Amino acid sequence: NANGTSFVVWAQSNGDGGAKSLWATRGAGMVWDDAGILDAPTWESVESPTVVVSSFGQGIALWSRGAPAPAMSAIWSALTNIGAEWSGIVSLETPGPGRSERPRAVIGADGIVDAVWRRDDGRLYWNAKQIDGGTWDQLRVAYVEDAGAVGALRLARDDSRRLFAAWEEVGAA
């Protein structure tokens, strides 16, 4: 953000070739906190982490957590307030058959986070959250894909809170 607060999140193998954990660190100017584990599923694996930072220095991380067989995953999130630890790990959808992947998010000056991700049922899903104590809205389908796979998903939001999404459809007829 404008005050120099930044976050980095990444998936890292636990060394046995199995599940990956979610790691995070926070930076302020040129100083970085020690990295720590944000989510360490025991039988599942973490993929596609991303993070956004509010103008006040709050961070919200999103990632896919699931099992490789049977293919099942959901999008999860966690919030950190200024100078605080990460907390409030919640699922944005009910885990079920199929894969949810590649979450993307934007945050406005109003503190509202918009998140969009792809599910392997050929749809893009959208959800929103007020970062200061709010809960995630009811899950909505943002787009039903005709054919192909969604790639290179990007988001933007204007001051009127209109959300714009752009993506590449791979393999469409």
Side-chain angles (χ1 to χ4, degrees), residues 60 77 79 88 90 111-112 128-137:
I60 191 157
S77 73
L79 169 71
V90 296
I112 295 177
K129 173 186 177 59
Q130 176 70 37
I131 201 166
D132 290 323
T135 58
W136 287 100
D137 289 344

Side-chain angles (χ1 to χ4, degrees), residues 86-108:
W86 291 92
S87 64
I89 295 177
V90 296
S91 177
L92 276 65
E93 58 183 334
T94 302
R99 310 266 318 150
S100 290
E101 57 192 13
R102 295 191 292 272
R104 298 293 181 258
V106 292
I107 186 168

Side-chain angles (χ1 to χ4, degrees), residues 44-166:
E44 302 166 306
S45 194
V46 168
E47 301 290 339
S48 308
T50 190
V51 65
V52 291
V53 183
S54 77
S55 59
F56 302 107
Q58 299 155 302
I60 191 157
L62 297 151
W63 64 95
S64 174
R65 181 169 85 182
M72 179 190 312
S73 66
I75 301 300
W76 294 74
S77 73
L79 169 71
T80 182
N81 284 311
I82 303 162
E85 297 296 319
W86 291 92
S87 64
I89 295 177
V90 296
S91 177
L92 276 65
E93 58 183 334
T94 302
R99 310 266 318 150
S100 290
E101 57 192 13
R102 295 191 292 272
R104 298 293 181 258
V106 292
I107 186 168
D110 56 6
I112 295 177
V113 177
D114 288 289
V116 175
W117 63 93
R118 180 193 180 278
R119 188 141 178 89
D120 66 4
D121 63 2
R123 295 182 171 141
L124 290 178
Y125 289 89
W126 170 63
N127 210 325
K129 173 186 177 59
Q130 176 70 37
I131 201 166
D132 290 323
T135 58
W136 287 100
D137 289 344
Q138 181 177 344
L139 187 63
R140 295 179 202 94
V141 174
Y143 174 74
V144 178
E145 186 179 316
D146 291 338
V150 172
L153 176 62
R154 300 292 182 259
L155 298 180
R157 202 178 94 179
D158 68 12
D159 293 337
S160 298
R161 198 164 172 258
R162 291 181 298 184
L163 182 64
F164 302 91

